């Protein structure tokens, strides 16, 4: 059985059950970073093709490592192009994170590209996701539809206006809040503006009412318990780069503090 069918379903199942899960963004585009983080205990990683220089070959190498090691890996796509979504899922991504989802029509476009049952996604069984043809085609399509995760980012004022219609769309697995873009789009001053907190609570309430997992980007784990208390259960904390930098700064600081 292909690894996607053993690890992907587990993540989606845990999300649906409301079990808190945490991952990080990957911005360093080499497979070795995935290989190292597969040993970290993180629940998943998100390969950031929106804000890092991933090309298709970079994604393929990272997804190969994720598959081989059983680490669920989503791809944050740069835009909503169906061909890119299809490629990511063919290469074995466990799902896509969709930046700037502004309407139910946006969700529909992504779902058409991601779900075989809608009869618009291009089909090939000879992919990593299809276990290189070593699985019955019908069974593969059924499992892919059942297991792939669609995380829609809520990070625009238009998305706030259309939150109910986005959250009501059954193709959405997770409403993922992007606080930086959301604050910018709403015209707020910065991450500590209390109105941003209100917007996050609104998204959590609407998402939970429609039975969606609600996710949030956090730069540190300190606020995770408070966010779990309002129904947010999926977290992406920082990135490989921020984790590397904070570890290295800690090492440098220890040396700087030793009296000479
Ligand atoms: C944002 O904060 O805008 C994000 O997209 C974080 O993932
Ligand atoms: Mg964003």
């Amino acid at each position: 059985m292909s690894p996607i069918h053993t690890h992907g379903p587990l993540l989606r199942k845990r999300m649906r059950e409301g079990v808190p899960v945490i991952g990080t963004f990957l911005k360093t585009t080499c497979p070795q970073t995935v290989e190292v983080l597969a040993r970290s205990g993180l629940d998943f990683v998100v390969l950031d093709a929106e804000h890092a220089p991933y090309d298709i070959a970079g994604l393929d190498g990272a997804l190969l490592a994720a598959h081989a090691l059983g680490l669920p890996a989503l791809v944050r796509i740069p835009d909503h192009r169906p061909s890119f979504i299809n490629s990511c899922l063919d290469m074995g991504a466990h799902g896509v994170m969709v930046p700037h989802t502004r309407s139910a029509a946006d969700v529909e476009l992504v779902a058409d590209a991601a779900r075989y049952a809608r009869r618009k996604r291009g089909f090939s069984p000879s992919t990593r996701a299809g276990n290189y043809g070593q699985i019955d085609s019908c069974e593969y399509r059924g499992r892919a539809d059942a297991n792939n995760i669609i995380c829609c980012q809520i990070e625009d004022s238009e998305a706030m206006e259309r939150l109910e219609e986005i959250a009501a769309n059954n193709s959405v697995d997770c409403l993922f809040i992007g606080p930086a873009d959301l604050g910018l789009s709403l015209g707020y001053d910065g991450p500590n503006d209390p109105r941003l907190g209100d917007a996050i609570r609104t998204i959590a309430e609407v998402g939970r009412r429609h039975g969606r997992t609600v996710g949030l980007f956090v730069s540190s784990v300190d606020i995770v318990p408070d966010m779990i208390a309002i129904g947010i259960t999926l977290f992406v904390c920082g990135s490989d780069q921020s984790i590397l930098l904070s570890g290295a700064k800690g090492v440098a600081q220890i040396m700087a503090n030793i009296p000479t």
Side-chain angles (χ1 to χ4, degrees):
M1 191 185 281
S2 159
I4 192 171
H5 303 310
T6 56
H7 301 277
L10 193 57
L11 179 62
R12 203 178 190 204
K13 182 168 175 286
R14 292 169 76 202
M15 286 168 61
R16 285 193 169 158
E17 288 170 353
V19 177
V21 289
I22 192 155
T24 192
F25 277 120
L26 291 196
K27 291 169 184 277
T28 311
T29 62
C30 60
Q32 288 86 347
T33 318
V34 178
E35 193 183 15
V36 171
L37 287 179
R39 291 161 169 84
S40 67
L42 287 175
D43 297 299
F44 64 97
V45 291
V46 185
L47 313 177
D48 190 2
E50 185 195 20
H51 287 303
Y54 271 109
D55 57 14
I56 287 289
L59 289 172
D60 190 42
L63 289 167
L64 169 63
H67 252 251
L69 293 158
L71 177 66
L74 311 185
V75 176
R76 177 155 71 175
I77 53 180
D79 52 42
H80 302 180
R81 259 173 306 147
S83 58
F84 197 92
I85 295 168
N86 201 342
S87 292
C88 291
L89 297 176
D90 278 354
M91 288 186 286
H94 289 85
V96 286
M97 180 174 283
V98 186
H100 301 288
T101 311
R102 296 185 176 97
S103 65
D106 285 349
V107 179
E108 285 294 297
L109 196 69
V110 170
D112 280 349
R115 303 268 188 250
Y116 286 117
R118 301 167 74 106
R119 303 200 172 269
K120 290 187 180 165
R121 176 176 171 190
F123 172 60
S124 166
S126 64
T127 58
R128 181 176 298 123
N131 208 14
Y132 298 106
Q134 300 306 298
I135 178 172
D136 171 77
S137 291
C138 269
E139 193 184 337
Y140 159 54
R141 288 193 299 266
R143 286 186 188 178
D145 280 7
N147 299 333
N148 289 338
I149 296 162
I150 298 179
C151 277
C152 293
Q153 282 201 252
I154 302 298
E155 51 182 357
D156 297 274
S157 57
E158 297 98 309
M160 291 304 286
E161 282 159 22
R162 297 182 150 186
L163 199 49
E164 291 285 345
E165 68 165 55
I166 296 170
N169 190 300
N170 282 328
S171 297
V172 175
D173 290 302
C174 173
L175 295 178
F176 185 81
I177 305 164
D181 278 316
L182 185 60
L184 268 177
S185 177
L186 292 170
Y188 300 161
D189 292 334
N192 298 324
D193 190 312
R195 291 172 297 176
L196 187 55
D198 292 343
I200 290 172
R201 274 185 288 279
T202 299
I203 299 165
E205 185 277 310
V206 174
R208 294 307 304 139
R209 177 154 43 76
H210 286 278
R212 309 294 165 218
T213 300
V214 182
L216 176 68
F217 175 79
V218 293
S219 51
S220 107
V221 286
D222 297 352
I223 64 164
V224 165
D226 286 349
M227 295 298 101
I228 289 176
I230 62 166
I232 296 176
T233 51
L234 181 141
F235 299 92
V236 176
C237 182
S239 68
D240 54 350
Q241 293 172 349
S242 67
I243 292 168
L244 185 64
L245 198 52
S246 74
K249 280 181 168 177
V251 171
Q253 195 58 48
I254 288 168
M255 288 306 282
N257 290 340
I258 294 175
T260 49

